[in-house]
Amino acid sequence: MSGSEGNGRYGGDFEDEDDGDEELRTVNDNLIFLINARASMFQENNKGVSHIIDALAFALDVMKRFIVRNPKDSVGIVLYGTENKYPVVGGADNVYVLQKLEPVSGKAMSKLREFVEFNQDSLTEKIGEPLAETGTNSQNRLKEALWTASRQIITKRRQNRYDMRRVWLFTDDDDPCSDMGGEIGRAHV
């Protein structure tokens, strides 16, 4: 038996097994950082940096990794619990989209780096004052932020159905859903 017959020592046929039905696909990562921007997140941690700036610095670090790994990976940053709701036209109150879900770029990274380096004064100037921890609308803030993030993901989803879609929540609230009552039972995963 010669090797040209196609049967190897393992008994399998070594002809091209790819029948053309499946092609390799690149899976792009779509990640939204959902960051609590209420007053408690502006307090300093034990390193002397506010919690919100720590979260933004982490987002910047992830963006650096994404741009090297796959330039088509996308990152978005949504802040909730802010005084200002713009630039989301027709969007949710008290939600600020710091960066739309789009591929990581040097321009986006340098814009975020400015907030991290110049600390919270420049951030407060951009998004408005953080809201108090309590109030009549406090139960809707996370829900509105999740709605805003989902709108960005749904828009991006239409481009490639194989993309990963993730939302990472950064908050100092041990139970951010505690005041949502019956809303949690109606949530679908």
Side-chain angles (χ1 to χ4, degrees):
M1 186 191 291
S2 71
S4 62
E5 294 175 11
N7 292 328
R9 72 164 111 152
Y10 299 108
D13 190 3
F14 290 111
E15 291 182 24
D16 189 5
E17 295 179 13
D18 186 11
D19 58 358
D21 290 7
E22 284 293 318
E23 57 185 69
L24 295 176
R25 290 181 175 80
T26 301
V27 176
N28 300 321
D29 199 353
N30 295 303
L31 173 62
I32 294 184
F33 288 89
L34 191 58
I35 302 173
N36 179 354
R38 294 184 299 185
S40 63
M41 287 291 285
F42 284 84
Q43 295 174 0
E44 292 184 352
N45 60 19
N46 57 2
K47 294 183 262 177
V49 180
S50 67
H51 300 294
I52 193 162
I53 296 299
D54 248 359
L56 292 173
F58 182 74
L60 181 61
D61 188 47
V62 169
M63 290 171 76
K64 289 176 187 175
R65 291 180 185 166
F66 274 23
I67 203 165
V68 171
R69 186 181 72 189
N70 181 0
K72 292 183 180 180
D73 286 345
S74 298
V75 171
I77 301 173
V78 176
L79 306 175
Y80 71 97
T82 66
E83 178 183 271
N84 192 346
K85 69 175 180 178
Y86 301 103
V88 179
V89 177
D93 289 334
N94 308 119
V95 175
Y96 187 89
V97 178
L98 190 61
Q99 178 180 315
K100 286 185 175 184
L101 183 62
E102 57 191 19
V104 178
S105 67
K107 182 180 178 182
M109 289 172 51
S110 65
K111 185 174 137 182
L112 185 57
R113 188 178 297 114
E114 287 179 23
F115 292 125
V116 171
E117 290 175 357
F118 295 115
N119 217 325
Q120 61 196 37
D121 293 335
S122 61
L123 182 64
T124 304
E125 187 177 307
K126 180 86 171 170
I127 67 171
E129 292 294 321
L131 295 175
E133 298 301 313
T134 59
T136 58
N137 292 329
S138 66
Q139 65 183 357
N140 293 325
R141 290 183 189 136
L142 180 58
K143 182 170 66 171
E144 291 171 347
L146 286 166
W147 180 85
T148 301
S150 72
R151 301 295 359 136
Q152 289 188 42
I153 287 174
I154 287 170
T155 302
K156 193 76 170 177
R157 181 179 175 194
R158 293 179 186 142
Q159 295 177 4
N160 185 354
R161 68 181 182 152
Y162 298 103
D163 286 354
M164 279 195 307
R165 298 168 297 275
R166 302 182 292 165
V167 176
W168 289 355
L169 175 64
F170 289 82
T171 182
D172 62 343
D173 188 354
D174 291 336
D175 190 5
C177 299
S178 64
D179 54 355
M180 288 191 163
E183 302 277 335
I184 295 173
R186 293 188 303 230
H188 291 80
V189 179

